[in-house]
């Protein structure tokens, strides 16, 4: 997926002042305006019924084996996230296990954040994640390419991204816009190979023994979020280590 750089809003480059008008900037794009026209009235009612106020924060979890993407929200005066909606992947790419090289068709596994809003995507609307992280780079090595351009997007095709259909991405996209517009600096995206319960881990480890060491670095994050429902304090180091800080 090629980026239209002039059209993209990248988190780290936006000032506090610009954050306040982020929604207005996004609404200048036809597809974003259409998404709001089609979805926002219903979403607002659902948010109110679920107890979420106007200014909420957002977190995304995804499970490759189950093909599920979850949207977690919390009011800014709360400490824990609560599940708001779950969406099915529309298509799958690759197998369980992390993305290693460009063109391997794998969907990444690890701890990321949304770093791009693309309102003019080739796949309707898309939210980019900041793959590769340091662990990914270390895994790929110096003589190979990590690949990139990993998105949560519309349509129903994929070569490593997470497609949701145009209808579903409209909801996810504008929820992310609302969270960003409310001042959330980073929206976490945690992509797990599967729901990393003890039973599931033992089962998938038998099928994919080559990934056990890596999955052992993801499971503490899964368990921590399942228990606390808080943003993880994750450090990914250039030597390929993932450290969950307390």
């Amino acid at each position: 997926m090629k980026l239209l750089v002039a059209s993209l809003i990248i988190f780290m480059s936006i000032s506090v002042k610009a954050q306040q008008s982020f929604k207005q900037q996004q609404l200048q794009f036809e597809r974003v305006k259409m998404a709001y026209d089609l979805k926002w009235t219903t979403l607002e009612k659902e948010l109110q019924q679920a107890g979420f106020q106007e200014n909420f924060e957002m977190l995304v979890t995804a499970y490759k084996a189950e093909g599920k993407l979850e949207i977690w929200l919390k009011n800014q005066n709360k400490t824990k996230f609560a599940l708001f909606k779950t969406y099915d992947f529309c298509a799958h790419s690759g197998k369980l296990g992390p993305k290693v090289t460009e063109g391997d068709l794998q969907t990444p596994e690890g701890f990321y954040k949304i770093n791009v809003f693309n309102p003019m995507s080739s796949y309707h609307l898309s939210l980019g994640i900041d793959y590769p992280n340091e662990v990914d780079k270390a895994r790929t090595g110096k003589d190979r390419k990590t690949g990139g351009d990993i998105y949560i997007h519309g349509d129903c095709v994929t070569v490593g991204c997470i497609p949701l259909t145009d209808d579903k991405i409209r909801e996810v996209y504008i929820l992310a816009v609302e969270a960003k517009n409310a001042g959330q600096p980073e929206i976490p995206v945690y992509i797990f190979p599967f729901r990393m319960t003890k039973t599931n881990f033992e089962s998938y480890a038998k099928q994919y023994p080559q990934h056990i060491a890596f999955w052992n670095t993801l499971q503490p994050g899964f368990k921590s979020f399942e228990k606390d429902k808080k943003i993880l304090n994750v450090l990914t180091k250039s030597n390929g280590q993932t450290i969950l800080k307390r």
Side-chain angles (χ1 to χ4, degrees), residues 61 63 111 190 192 196 215-234 242-244 246:
T61 57
Y63 301 93
F111 304 105
Y190 306 148
F192 297 103
M196 303 190 80
W215 287 347
N216 275 328
T217 71
L218 300 183
Q219 193 178 40
F222 169 82
K223 290 182 175 179
S224 179
F225 183 73
E226 284 286 292
K227 176 178 178 289
D228 299 327
K229 303 298 189 294
K230 296 180 180 180
I231 292 177
L232 301 175
N233 189 0
V234 175
T242 298
I243 299 174
L244 183 64
R246 298 289 183 176

Side-chain angles (χ1 to χ4, degrees), residues 142-186:
K142 295 181 179 180
D143 298 326
R144 300 184 295 178
K145 296 181 179 179
T146 59
D149 290 347
I150 301 297
Y151 290 82
I152 302 166
H153 62 64
D155 209 334
C156 197
V157 295
T158 178
V159 289
C161 298
I162 299 176
L164 301 177
T165 73
D166 291 357
D167 185 64
K168 293 175 183 175
I169 192 60
R170 290 182 183 121
E171 293 191 7
V172 175
Y173 192 94
I174 63 178
L175 286 169
V177 168
E178 290 292 318
K180 178 61 183 171
N181 194 65
Q184 185 175 359
E186 295 181 349

Side-chain angles (χ1 to χ4, degrees), residues 17 34 38 55-56 75-76 109 116 122 127 131 137 144 157 165 181 192 195 205 222:
K17 182 177 180 180
M34 180 186 298
L38 292 172
N55 296 328
F56 56 78
N75 295 325
Q76 292 184 349
E109 296 172 6
V116 171
S122 299
L127 298 167
Y131 170 88
K137 294 174 184 176
R144 300 184 295 178
V157 295
T165 73
N181 194 65
F192 297 103
R195 296 190 186 277
F222 169 82

Side-chain angles (χ1 to χ4, degrees), residues 99-110:
K99 184 172 182 61
V100 179
T101 61
E102 184 176 65
D104 64 7
L105 305 183
Q106 288 292 101
T107 300
E109 296 172 6

